[in-house]
Short mmCIF file of all heavy atoms in Angstrom, two decimals:
data_model
loop_
_atom_site.label_atom_id
_atom_site.label_comp_id
_atom_site.label_asym_id
_atom_site.label_seq_id
_atom_site.Cartn_x
_atom_site.Cartn_y
_atom_site.Cartn_z
N PHE A 13 -187.29 34.17 58.48
CA PHE A 13 -188.20 33.07 58.35
C PHE A 13 -187.53 31.69 58.41
O PHE A 13 -186.36 31.45 58.25
CB PHE A 13 -188.98 33.14 57.11
CG PHE A 13 -189.74 34.37 56.97
CD1 PHE A 13 -189.34 35.42 56.20
CD2 PHE A 13 -191.08 34.54 57.59
CE1 PHE A 13 -190.10 36.56 56.04
CE2 PHE A 13 -191.84 35.63 57.40
CZ PHE A 13 -191.22 36.79 56.64
N ASP A 14 -188.30 30.66 58.92
CA ASP A 14 -187.87 29.24 58.88
C ASP A 14 -188.23 28.66 57.51
O ASP A 14 -187.60 27.54 57.23
CB ASP A 14 -188.53 28.54 60.00
CG ASP A 14 -188.08 28.99 61.39
OD1 ASP A 14 -186.74 29.30 61.54
OD2 ASP A 14 -188.95 29.09 62.22
N LEU A 15 -189.22 29.18 56.88
CA LEU A 15 -189.72 28.48 55.58
C LEU A 15 -190.21 29.52 54.60
O LEU A 15 -190.86 30.44 55.04
CB LEU A 15 -190.95 27.52 56.03
CG LEU A 15 -191.68 26.89 54.81
CD1 LEU A 15 -190.86 25.85 54.21
CD2 LEU A 15 -192.92 26.23 55.27
N VAL A 16 -189.87 29.28 53.37
CA VAL A 16 -190.40 30.12 52.27
C VAL A 16 -190.91 29.18 51.28
O VAL A 16 -190.42 28.00 50.95
CB VAL A 16 -189.18 30.91 51.50
CG1 VAL A 16 -189.65 31.48 50.23
CG2 VAL A 16 -188.68 31.91 52.56
N THR A 17 -192.13 29.46 50.72
CA THR A 17 -192.76 28.57 49.71
C THR A 17 -192.91 29.36 48.45
O THR A 17 -193.18 30.60 48.46
CB THR A 17 -194.14 27.98 50.13
OG1 THR A 17 -194.92 29.14 50.41
CG2 THR A 17 -193.97 27.20 51.52
N MET A 18 -192.86 28.70 47.37
CA MET A 18 -192.94 29.29 46.03
C MET A 18 -193.72 28.25 45.17
O MET A 18 -193.24 27.28 44.63
CB MET A 18 -191.69 29.68 45.29
CG MET A 18 -190.93 30.68 45.99
SD MET A 18 -189.51 31.12 44.94
CE MET A 18 -188.78 32.36 45.97
N GLY A 19 -194.98 28.32 45.09
CA GLY A 19 -195.80 27.35 44.44
C GLY A 19 -196.19 27.85 43.01
O GLY A 19 -196.76 28.76 42.89
N GLU A 20 -195.52 27.16 42.03
CA GLU A 20 -195.79 27.50 40.57
C GLU A 20 -195.57 28.88 40.29
O GLU A 20 -196.27 29.59 39.60
CB GLU A 20 -197.10 26.93 40.25
CG GLU A 20 -197.15 25.68 39.54
CD GLU A 20 -198.30 25.47 38.51
OE1 GLU A 20 -198.19 26.01 37.39
OE2 GLU A 20 -199.31 24.92 38.89
N ALA A 21 -194.51 29.42 40.81
CA ALA A 21 -194.22 30.93 40.55
C ALA A 21 -193.12 31.26 39.90
O ALA A 21 -193.06 32.28 39.12
CB ALA A 21 -194.18 31.60 41.95
N LEU A 22 -191.92 30.52 39.97
CA LEU A 22 -190.75 30.87 39.33
C LEU A 22 -190.79 31.34 37.86
O LEU A 22 -190.23 32.18 37.41
CB LEU A 22 -189.74 29.76 39.35
CG LEU A 22 -189.02 29.64 40.81
CD1 LEU A 22 -188.10 28.46 40.88
CD2 LEU A 22 -188.21 30.85 41.14
N ALA A 23 -191.50 30.50 37.12
CA ALA A 23 -191.60 30.81 35.67
C ALA A 23 -192.22 32.18 35.30
O ALA A 23 -192.07 32.57 34.16
CB ALA A 23 -192.31 29.69 34.87
N TYR A 24 -192.98 32.67 36.22
CA TYR A 24 -193.75 33.94 36.01
C TYR A 24 -193.09 35.06 36.69
O TYR A 24 -193.65 36.24 36.50
CB TYR A 24 -195.21 33.75 36.57
CG TYR A 24 -195.91 32.60 35.94
CD1 TYR A 24 -196.14 31.43 36.73
CD2 TYR A 24 -196.27 32.68 34.49
CE1 TYR A 24 -196.76 30.36 36.06
CE2 TYR A 24 -196.94 31.61 34.00
CZ TYR A 24 -197.12 30.39 34.75
OH TYR A 24 -197.75 29.29 34.15
N MET A 25 -192.10 34.91 37.33
CA MET A 25 -191.35 36.01 37.89
C MET A 25 -190.38 36.78 37.00
O MET A 25 -189.97 36.20 36.05
CB MET A 25 -190.51 35.68 39.19
CG MET A 25 -191.35 35.04 40.19
SD MET A 25 -190.32 34.42 41.56
CE MET A 25 -191.53 33.85 42.79
N ALA A 26 -190.38 38.06 37.26
CA ALA A 26 -189.37 38.98 36.37
C ALA A 26 -188.01 38.43 36.43
O ALA A 26 -187.31 38.42 35.28
CB ALA A 26 -189.45 40.53 36.90
N ASP A 27 -187.51 38.04 37.54
CA ASP A 27 -186.11 37.61 37.72
C ASP A 27 -186.16 36.42 38.75
O ASP A 27 -185.93 36.72 39.87
CB ASP A 27 -185.31 38.80 38.10
CG ASP A 27 -183.87 38.45 38.15
OD1 ASP A 27 -183.37 37.17 38.10
OD2 ASP A 27 -183.01 39.34 38.23
N PRO A 28 -186.32 35.21 38.20
CA PRO A 28 -186.31 34.09 39.09
C PRO A 28 -184.99 33.75 39.94
O PRO A 28 -185.26 33.43 41.03
CB PRO A 28 -186.46 32.84 38.14
CG PRO A 28 -187.10 33.49 36.88
CD PRO A 28 -186.47 34.88 36.88
N THR A 29 -183.93 34.04 39.38
CA THR A 29 -182.60 33.87 40.20
C THR A 29 -182.61 34.90 41.26
O THR A 29 -182.35 34.42 42.33
CB THR A 29 -181.46 34.26 39.11
OG1 THR A 29 -181.46 33.28 38.03
CG2 THR A 29 -180.18 34.08 39.93
N THR A 30 -182.82 36.14 41.23
CA THR A 30 -183.07 37.16 42.21
C THR A 30 -184.00 36.77 43.21
O THR A 30 -183.74 36.82 44.49
CB THR A 30 -183.20 38.44 41.66
OG1 THR A 30 -182.25 38.80 40.69
CG2 THR A 30 -183.31 39.50 42.79
N ALA A 31 -185.16 36.18 42.92
CA ALA A 31 -186.24 35.79 43.80
C ALA A 31 -185.80 34.65 44.74
O ALA A 31 -185.92 34.63 45.93
CB ALA A 31 -187.37 35.34 42.93
N LEU A 32 -184.99 33.71 44.17
CA LEU A 32 -184.44 32.65 44.91
C LEU A 32 -183.36 33.08 45.84
O LEU A 32 -183.17 32.63 47.10
CB LEU A 32 -183.87 31.47 44.01
CG LEU A 32 -184.87 30.66 43.40
CD1 LEU A 32 -184.34 29.63 42.36
CD2 LEU A 32 -185.71 29.88 44.38
N GLU A 33 -182.59 34.09 45.45
CA GLU A 33 -181.56 34.76 46.30
C GLU A 33 -182.18 35.48 47.38
O GLU A 33 -181.66 35.43 48.48
CB GLU A 33 -180.54 35.56 45.44
CG GLU A 33 -179.69 34.69 44.52
CD GLU A 33 -179.02 35.60 43.49
OE1 GLU A 33 -179.33 36.83 43.34
OE2 GLU A 33 -178.13 35.21 42.64
#
Side-chain angles (χ1 to χ4, degrees):
F13 299 100
D14 293 318
L15 174 67
V16 170
T17 63
M18 292 184 182
E20 262 206 82
L22 279 177
Y24 303 108
M25 293 181 180
D27 186 347
T29 301
T30 301
L32 288 173
E33 291 167 354

